[in-house]
Amino acid sequence: MITYTQVAESAAYLRSRLPALPEIALVLGSGLGPLAEQMQDTVSIAYAEIPHFRVSTAPDHAGRLVVGTLAGRRIACMQGRLHGYEGYAPDEIAYPVYVLRALGVQALILTNASGGINTGFSVGDFMLIEDHINMTGKSPLTGANDERLGTRFPDMTFAYAPALREKAQAAAALCGLELRKGVYCGVNGPQFETPAEIRAFRALGADAVGMSTVFEVIAAAHCGLPVVAVAMITNMAAGVLMQPLSGAEVNEIAARRGTDFRRLICALIEKI
Ligand code: HPA
């Protein structure tokens, strides 16, 4: 359970370390960490130094908060996030969202690597997440609710803020990049899905699948922080192409499409 006091302590620590407060928060998904290296005038704080933060163990997730300037705005960038498959509870995964909100950010940009379920998608595509299906069966809001953090029954209708989605589409057009749209299905992992699971998710209306994002979005809806989320399709989901999947493929595609992805995110930041 997340307490208001813990969030306030984490935020107070960060305020004491930062020369200026961030305006926008950015979470970098698998293989997308290098975006943080484009930031200027940075202060880098390891999660291990921040009171009440947990430390990420996922490969290629650096585990630090980098605060600095990107595309002319003050950005707090989470270089590495926590996942359910690492053994973290949903509220531990969602915790940083409340801290970023307490620091005063106006928007949360989430990125992730996903498997493409929609057969019209191709490896390397970018997908604007319009909505999600939480297949983990869990919520970061389970347990007692502290009204100072958010309401007991948050509305998810506009969790993926329509105004920010429009800005993402405008940013993609400006960059000359195609931006698919679709529904993200969040699973626990770490195993990739079975082909039967992917067929089931498709029947439910999912376009992409991944092992992150849904808890952070639920937390953001809870604390009233507008979210925009962009997935990189690093592989077609299990059974779409009759070939095995691998984590190496995810990172290879993320690296190959990294430059365009960074352009898109920077153009989006400029529009927020
Ligand atoms: N499934 C789940 N998570 C993923 C995938 C996938 O196919 N690709 C990247 N993250």
Side-chain angles (χ1 to χ4, degrees):
M1 197 192 109
I2 294 167
T3 73
Y4 182 81
T5 312
Q6 285 180 331
V7 171
E9 282 168 7
S10 302
Y13 173 80
L14 289 172
R15 266 189 228 104
S16 76
R17 292 276 314 261
L18 298 173
L21 290 178
E23 304 164 88
I24 298 168
L26 172 63
V27 178
L28 298 178
S30 296
L32 305 171
L35 185 50
E37 268 113 62
Q38 283 196 319
M39 294 172 65
Q40 288 163 344
D41 305 318
T42 54
V43 175
S44 197
I45 305 174
Y47 295 157
E49 294 177 63
I50 308 171
H52 313 299
F53 262 56
R54 298 280 185 274
V55 178
S56 157
T57 64
D60 299 321
H61 282 250
R64 59 180 170 243
L65 186 70
V66 183
V67 182
T69 309
L70 186 64
R73 306 295 296 278
R74 295 281 313 166
I75 307 293
C77 175
M78 289 191 62
Q79 201 179 18
R81 58 147 66 91
L82 306 178
H83 303 83
Y85 64 75
E86 296 172 83
Y88 295 107
D91 58 347
E92 293 177 320
I93 295 165
Y95 182 76
V97 172
Y98 293 93
V99 177
L100 292 162
R101 177 80 177 121
L103 286 180
V105 302
Q106 306 146 18
L108 174 61
I109 304 173
L110 297 173
T111 67
N112 66 46
S114 296
I117 293 178
N118 185 322
T119 54
F121 290 178
S122 304
V123 169
D125 280 354
F126 303 143
M127 186 189 92
L128 178 64
I129 302 180
E130 295 191 301
D131 203 345
H132 78 217
I133 300 171
N134 176 7
M135 271 293 179
T136 69
K138 296 179 195 157
S139 167
L141 310 184
T142 302
N145 185 60
D146 189 330
E147 288 285 330
R148 290 172 295 180
L149 294 175
T151 182
R152 174 74 288 188
F153 300 108
D155 179 31
M156 294 293 290
T157 311
F158 301 112
Y160 296 86
L164 291 179
R165 271 150 51 189
E166 272 176 32
K167 288 180 199 280
Q169 283 180 287
L174 195 71
C175 295
L177 292 168
E178 190 172 4
L179 184 60
R180 311 280 195 173
K181 290 184 284 183
V183 172
Y184 176 85
C185 179
V187 296
N188 187 76
Q191 74 287 351
F192 289 114
E193 301 68 40
T194 65
E197 285 167 343
I198 293 302
R199 286 193 299 274
F201 297 162
R202 184 181 298 120
L204 291 176
D207 297 288
V209 59
M211 302 174 195
S212 68
T213 304
V214 292
F215 297 147
E216 290 133 328
V217 172
I218 293 168
H222 184 225
C223 67
L225 180 56
V227 169
V228 59
V230 184
M232 183 192 286
I233 306 297
T234 52
N235 58 282
M236 293 312 288
V240 176
L241 311 171
M242 264 305 159
Q243 60 187 42
L245 309 187
S246 82
E249 174 190 28
V250 169
N251 288 328
E252 184 194 315
I253 298 299
R256 198 184 308 161
R257 295 292 285 134
T259 307
D260 278 343
F261 200 76
R262 287 192 278 276
R263 283 173 55 221
L264 174 61
I265 298 300
C266 288
L268 169 59
I269 288 170
E270 276 171 22
K271 290 199 174 290
I272 293 180

